Amino acid sequence: MVLDSLDLKIIQALSQQGRATWSELAERFEVSSPAIADRVRRLEKRGILQGYTIRLDAPQLGYDLTAFISVSLEKTEHRPAFLAYVESTAEIQECHHVTGSGDYLLKVRCRNTAQLEQIISHGLKGQASVGQTHTAIVLSTAKETLNLPLTPD
Amino acid sequence: MVLDSLDLKIIQALSQQGRATWSELAERFEVSSPAIADRVRRLEKRGILQGYTIRLDAPQLGYDLTAFISVSLEKTEHRPAFLAYVESTAEIQECHHVTGSGDYLLKVRCRNTAQLEQIISHGLKGQASVGQTHTAIVLSTAKETLNLPLTPD
DNA sequence: ATTGAAACAATCAAAAA
DNA sequence: TTTTTGATTGTTTCAAT
């Protein structure tokens, strides 16, 4: 089953205004609000719409430091322990298995360099599987969004 | 002006359930719903809570390919044109100025390798300022969240 | 920050496209 | 199967405290 143009318009609208009311969207797209509610419920059920969240200003919350850490794993048998560490560490926002020089690319948000050091030297290097790491500190962020380029007909 | 424990609890709750009703939060945190509404309005006004959005399943929407592209800029005078290109390209979800070998680290979501090639060979390499690029393809993603580790007292 | 009233939005069942 | 309508329920908002 495919997405029609109304589904895409709803997804696009909620990407920008995740708390838009069904009646707002109903008016904007010229359908009834139960129709919007139904579409959204179905998108949720299909797992396309996974949930609702907020965009935060990390620096205002004391998170002034963002870093990307490339991690090479040596002992592949300890990979589950590494992934469990990643899962349990709230400062690690993203963890991707990637091609290229490192095995995993981590996006980390932390309060300061002391906390970053803690994560690299104790958290990551403390994992039996972790070999080399390479850290790139974010100096500034020009763009950061979750939006996907959806093209409603 | 600082955040108190109720502010942090609201932020944390909305991070997980961005459409939670004020009355739900009011009951959970044992205050009235106008109190929740007021806190949220103030967090929005201060720019701490920047907005509401949704989490999408990118593969189900046809975005099967995620890549991180490290970009080196040569002619620094064309940097604004590069940033304008980044801004105008919906497939580029993130662009960070970073320390280390490349100047910028881009997170890109696209439909397939053909589209990735288009972005690298025409989009990026078409910019006067862009020198070398290094692309890491995401094989799988173990973690991907916007949440910050907030510690309510 | 709370209370209570008014305005508004979401949901459900029935029915129609 | 999906949408609309209209009634009901629940939520947000506002003024007063």
Side-chain angles (χ1 to χ4, degrees):
Chain A
M1 203 229 225
V2 292
L3 295 167
D4 71 2
S5 115
L6 180 57
D7 291 317
L8 293 174
K9 283 189 273 189
I10 290 170
I11 289 170
Q12 198 151 349
L14 289 176
S15 296
Q16 289 165 15
Q17 290 197 57
R19 281 187 76 98
T21 63
W22 301 161
S23 56
E24 273 181 84
L25 300 181
E27 192 172 15
R28 183 169 344 158
F29 301 135
E30 297 177 307
V31 291
S32 65
S33 31
I36 298 287
D38 256 35
R39 296 300 191 110
V40 171
R41 197 181 35 72
R42 275 145 59 195
L43 289 167
E44 289 169 349
K45 201 162 185 180
R46 290 160 76 182
I48 292 171
L49 204 174
Q50 297 182 147
Y52 304 85
T53 188
I54 50 179
R55 288 189 296 262
L56 291 171
D57 183 330
Q60 277 207 71
L61 289 161
Y63 287 84
D64 286 304
L65 191 48
T66 305
F68 286 90
I69 308 179
S70 167
V71 174
S72 299
L73 288 204
E74 285 172 348
K75 325 197 173 177
T76 199
E77 72 268 25
H78 292 118
R79 189 176 294 216
F82 167 73
L83 293 173
Y85 166 72
V86 163
E87 204 46 58
S88 68
T89 304
E91 285 80 8
I92 301 177
Q93 285 191 327
E94 300 186 25
C95 173
H96 307 273
H97 189 194
V98 293
T99 63
S101 49
D103 292 312
Y104 285 89
L105 183 61
L106 274 46
K107 183 179 180 184
V108 174
R109 279 212 193 258
C110 49
R111 297 189 174 277
N112 47 45
T113 51
Q115 199 187 5
L116 181 61
E117 181 178 35
Q118 170 72 23
I119 289 167
I120 295 171
S121 300
H122 295 92
L124 289 171
K125 295 276 170 67
Q127 297 298 312
S129 49
V130 170
Q132 269 201 321
T133 67
H134 285 279
T135 302
I137 302 283
V138 172
L139 300 171
S140 63
T141 294
K143 187 175 187 178
E144 193 167 32
T145 174
L146 283 184
N147 296 0
L148 290 176
L150 303 172
T151 54
D153 304 299
Chain B
M1 208 229 224
V2 292
L3 296 167
D4 71 4
S5 118
L6 180 56
D7 292 316
L8 292 175
K9 282 190 273 187
I10 290 169
I11 290 170
Q12 197 150 345
L14 289 175
S15 295
Q16 289 166 17
Q17 291 197 54
R19 282 187 75 98
T21 63
W22 301 162
S23 55
E24 274 181 80
L25 300 182
E27 192 172 12
R28 182 169 344 158
F29 301 136
E30 298 177 305
V31 291
S32 65
S33 30
I36 299 287
D38 256 36
R39 296 300 191 110
V40 171
R41 199 180 36 72
R42 275 144 61 193
L43 289 167
E44 288 170 350
K45 200 162 186 181
R46 290 159 77 181
I48 292 171
L49 204 173
Q50 296 182 146
Y52 304 84
T53 189
I54 50 180
R55 288 188 295 262
L56 291 171
D57 183 329
Q60 277 207 72
L61 289 162
Y63 286 84
D64 286 304
L65 191 49
T66 306
F68 285 90
I69 308 178
S70 167
V71 174
S72 299
L73 287 202
E74 285 174 345
K75 323 194 174 178
T76 198
E77 72 269 26
H78 292 119
R79 185 175 296 215
F82 167 74
L83 293 173
Y85 166 72
V86 164
E87 203 47 56
S88 68
T89 304
E91 286 79 9
I92 302 176
Q93 284 192 327
E94 301 187 23
C95 172
H96 307 273
H97 189 195
V98 294
T99 63
S101 49
D103 292 314
Y104 285 89
L105 184 61
L106 273 46
K107 183 180 181 183
V108 173
R109 279 211 194 260
C110 48
R111 296 189 176 276
N112 46 46
T113 52
Q115 200 187 6
L116 182 61
E117 181 179 35
Q118 170 71 25
I119 289 167
I120 295 171
S121 300
H122 296 93
L124 289 171
K125 295 276 170 67
Q127 296 299 311
S129 49
V130 169
Q132 271 201 317
T133 67
H134 285 280
T135 302
I137 302 282
V138 172
L139 300 171
S140 63
T141 294
K143 186 175 187 177
E144 192 167 30
T145 175
L146 283 183
N147 296 0
L148 291 176
L150 302 172
T151 51
D153 305 295

